[in-house]
Amino acid sequence: MLRVATWNINSVRLRIDQVARFVAESGTDVLCLQEIKCLEDQFPRNAFADMGLPHLKIAGQKGWHGVAIASRRPIEPSETFQSCKLGHARCVSVQVAGVDIQNFYIPAGGDVPDRELNPKFDHKMDFYEQLTATVAAQDRSRPLLMCGDFNIAPSEFDVWNHRYMSKIVSHTPIEVETLNRLQVAGAFTDVVREAFPEPQKLASWWSYRAEDFRKSARGLRLDHIWTSPGLTPAVVAGSATIHEPVRAWTQPSDHCPITVDLDV
């Protein structure tokens, strides 16, 4: 079995002790991180070796962005689905146990959901368009897992208030349609939603502005794990887990980890 996790860590060096705790408690075999916020030579490699994840693929960037994959098992090269027109460190990939794992930190898109008025939103839409074109050209029988912080909550049950959030970047109709097109292009299964069908409310992110994130209950499901038709049969039924208690740890990331088990 292979347990894969995705987590927007919001600075890997600041939260390395939390990473070690999560890996130990969850038994994660492959950890996909977003917003590591460091360069490759600043990444805490020794700490990952100590926690049993010595095999690393890192795409770093000074002060911003950055993604990494840490694995218990040996990794093989994979062609990364590079989709960032600005050249940010937002995607990295590896093969583990025959599974192609693509890890993304997709742009948030700023505050105004208009491509002409907001370059950040245009960047987000462009990223999705390029990624969708790449995915559409792939062999669907390929064992492919795409995960990360997609910065879109697709369903009315993935946001705390559908009517309000429909006007806010991350859940606007154009973003939901864009995410759906990507999912259809690869015939991906949303493994978390498969494990927790609608109308159950789900979230993986809660703003730092709330003193008590559980009391405010204004979460969004921005983090996702998708599997291709060639990999979905290997997903252990019901194994997908949103590790919400991690968000309550001291000085946490605003995102919590998500895991899924693969029978490979």
Side-chain angles (χ1 to χ4, degrees):
M1 188 190 76
L2 191 71
R3 180 161 293 166
V4 180
T6 180
W7 191 5
N8 181 321
I9 192 61
N10 196 7
S11 179
V12 66
R13 291 178 294 177
L14 179 63
R15 296 187 171 86
I16 189 61
D17 291 341
Q18 293 191 17
V19 175
R21 177 182 171 185
F22 171 72
V23 169
E25 292 182 1
S26 66
T28 291
D29 298 301
V30 180
L31 178 60
C32 299
L33 295 172
Q34 303 89 41
E35 281 203 276
I36 62 172
K37 294 185 176 180
C38 66
L39 296 170
E40 286 92 335
D41 62 0
Q42 299 170 323
F43 193 85
R45 295 171 181 268
N46 290 340
F48 279 85
D50 290 344
M51 66 182 80
L53 304 178
H55 306 285
L56 301 170
K57 184 70 179 291
I58 306 161
Q61 187 171 340
K62 185 177 181 180
W64 299 95
H65 316 314
V67 284
I69 300 176
S71 176
R72 198 174 303 277
R73 300 195 201 180
I75 61 176
E76 299 292 336
S78 169
E79 183 177 352
T80 301
F81 295 174
Q82 297 287 357
S83 303
C84 182
K85 66 179 181 180
L86 300 182
H88 297 163
R90 291 183 176 275
C91 36
V92 70
S93 67
V94 298
Q95 287 191 39
V96 180
V99 178
D100 189 339
I101 299 173
Q102 303 275 339
N103 174 26
F104 297 95
Y105 174 47
I106 297 179
D111 297 325
V112 180
D114 187 303
R115 297 187 71 161
E116 293 185 2
L117 298 177
N118 179 6
K120 291 182 178 180
F121 193 75
D122 179 68
H123 181 208
K124 181 176 190 173
M125 294 297 98
D126 185 82
F127 191 107
Y128 267 104
E129 288 166 357
Q130 292 192 46
L131 181 56
T132 300
T134 299
V135 163
Q138 303 301 311
D139 179 356
R140 291 183 176 183
S141 66
R142 171 186 184 184
L144 170 63
L145 182 148
M146 297 213 327
C147 70
D149 180 356
F150 291 4
N151 263 313
I152 296 177
S155 163
E156 64 179 289
F157 303 105
D158 296 324
V159 295
W160 63 275
N161 184 306
H162 172 59
R163 177 177 292 183
Y164 174 78
M165 287 302 304
S166 292
K167 302 174 184 178
I168 306 298
V169 172
S170 72
H171 188 61
T172 61
I174 187 175
E175 291 172 282
V176 172
E177 292 166 7
T178 297
L179 185 65
N180 288 341
R181 279 195 296 272
L182 174 60
Q183 186 173 4
V184 169
F188 291 111
T189 296
D190 178 347
V191 299
V192 174
R193 187 46 85 182
E194 283 287 305
F196 302 96
E198 295 181 354
Q200 181 169 347
K201 287 269 193 177
L202 299 175
S204 63
W205 171 93
W206 298 263
S207 172
Y208 284 131
R209 295 177 183 176
E211 185 174 344
D212 184 334
F213 78 97
R214 286 174 172 146
K215 185 177 180 180
S216 68
R218 294 190 173 191
L220 308 175
R221 188 168 73 100
L222 303 178
D223 305 273
H224 302 275
I225 299 177
W226 289 358
T227 53
S228 70
L231 183 61
T232 297
V235 174
V236 176
S239 66
T241 304
I242 298 176
H243 296 263
E244 183 257 19
V246 174
R247 180 62 177 80
W249 291 356
T250 303
Q251 292 186 319
S253 170
D254 45 358
H255 297 251
C256 70
I258 297 171
T259 57
V260 69
D261 295 344
L262 304 175
D263 186 9
V264 294

